[in-house]
Amino acid sequence: EVQLVESGGVVVQPGGSLRLSCAASGFTFDDYAMHWVRQAPGKGLEWVSLISWDGGSTYYADSVKGRFTISRDNSKNSLYLQMNSLRAEDTALYYCAKDKNYYGSAADYWGQGTLVTVSS
Amino acid sequence: DIVMTQTPLSLSVTPGQPASISCKSSQSLLHSDGKTYLYWYLQKPGQSPQLLIYEVSSRFSGVPDRFSGSGSGTDFTLKISRVEAEDVGVYYCMQGIHPVFGGGTKVEIK
């Protein structure tokens, strides 16, 4: 059974930094690309970032480009999101999601999310 | 940037009746590899999103056959042939070329 468990969400001040983690199990982690998707309170889904199976290719939404960095450690079956220069509008539930393929297509399994609140 | 526009914003459906959601893209989603990267998701109340349809019309594992996707280029449709109570939630289309979600369509039961 595919399991994705996010962690690291906390309350952080504007301008601060945070690293989210996602522990994956139940599938061969290094066979698949991975996504981060977020959802602000009461709002719709916003795709944030994608990383290919080997970490060689990364992609970002314009809203986070230059501030967030996606990475993975295939030896630890883990996905990360380094978030810098955080803004109030980054407040959201952050989901980790597995892709159907190695290169990036549909996110087929999702975690339960970790809440990031940016507030002074 | 590709913009995804979903209509309607909300839908109230009698159980057993059909429902249809439209998703329009500002650019063609047909990739040079011949695939069209259009997906549909359902987010049930209090839950994480779940994949329903990938590449326009392929049902994901375990998705009931009352759900179907169609379309091409810039115009896509999700149809539920007979709505059931468990189908309530917010439906999102998403394009995968430069990933963007549509704004969502809330489906509720009359």
Side-chain angles (χ1 to χ4, degrees):
Chain A
E1 178 193 4
V2 172
Q3 286 201 320
L4 299 165
V5 180
E6 302 93 337
S7 61
V10 291
V11 179
V12 60
Q13 291 191 340
S17 296
L18 198 55
R19 189 173 91 148
L20 304 184
S21 299
C22 172
S25 61
F27 64 102
T28 305
F29 184 68
D30 55 10
D31 277 353
Y32 297 94
M34 296 292 294
H35 300 258
W36 286 101
V37 177
R38 68 185 181 184
Q39 187 168 35
K43 302 296 185 183
L45 300 172
E46 180 186 14
W47 176 82
V48 173
S49 186
L50 165 70
I51 187 167
S52 61
W53 67 280
D54 61 352
S57 298
T58 57
Y59 307 89
Y60 300 93
D62 288 344
S63 58
V64 307
K65 202 173 293 182
R67 300 188 299 124
F68 290 12
T69 302
I70 191 171
S71 62
R72 64 191 296 159
D73 186 338
N74 287 346
S75 69
K76 295 182 179 179
N77 288 353
S78 293
L79 176 72
Y80 306 101
L81 186 67
Q82 178 66 42
M83 309 165 67
N84 298 331
S85 303
L86 283 162
R87 307 166 180 167
E89 54 265 35
D90 295 320
T91 294
L93 186 64
Y94 284 74
Y95 293 104
C96 159
K98 168 190 166 293
D99 196 275
K100 283 187 81 286
N101 294 296
Y102 66 91
Y103 52 83
S105 56
D108 58 359
Y109 290 95
W110 299 58
Q112 291 303 304
T114 187
L115 182 62
V116 173
T117 302
V118 183
S119 174
S120 54
Chain B
D1 291 356
I2 299 177
V3 177
M4 306 297 289
T5 303
Q6 282 183 240
T7 55
L9 289 180
S10 65
L11 205 48
S12 185
V13 188
T14 300
Q17 293 300 301
S20 180
I21 300 170
S22 171
C23 177
K24 295 184 186 296
S25 171
S26 59
Q27 298 178 33
S28 174
L29 301 184
L30 176 61
H31 194 268
S32 55
D33 64 7
K35 295 181 180 180
T36 301
Y37 291 98
L38 187 282
Y39 320 120
W40 289 97
Y41 294 88
L42 165 59
Q43 187 173 31
K44 296 183 179 182
Q47 296 187 17
S48 302
Q50 56 190 87
L51 178 64
L52 296 176
I53 302 287
Y54 62 97
E55 292 169 21
V56 179
S57 59
S58 296
R59 269 188 303 277
F60 186 58
S61 174
V63 175
D65 61 7
R66 65 179 181 274
F67 290 94
S68 64
S70 63
S72 64
T74 60
D75 290 356
F76 305 93
T77 302
L78 176 71
K79 292 182 179 177
I80 311 172
S81 58
R82 296 173 303 279
V83 172
E84 298 187 5
E86 65 182 25
D87 300 335
V88 299
V90 182
Y91 290 77
Y92 296 92
C93 62
M94 178 190 171
Q95 61 92 357
I97 295 179
H98 300 286
V100 171
F101 286 95
T105 296
K106 185 174 184 178
V107 172
E108 45 189 30
I109 297 295
K110 275 185 186 174

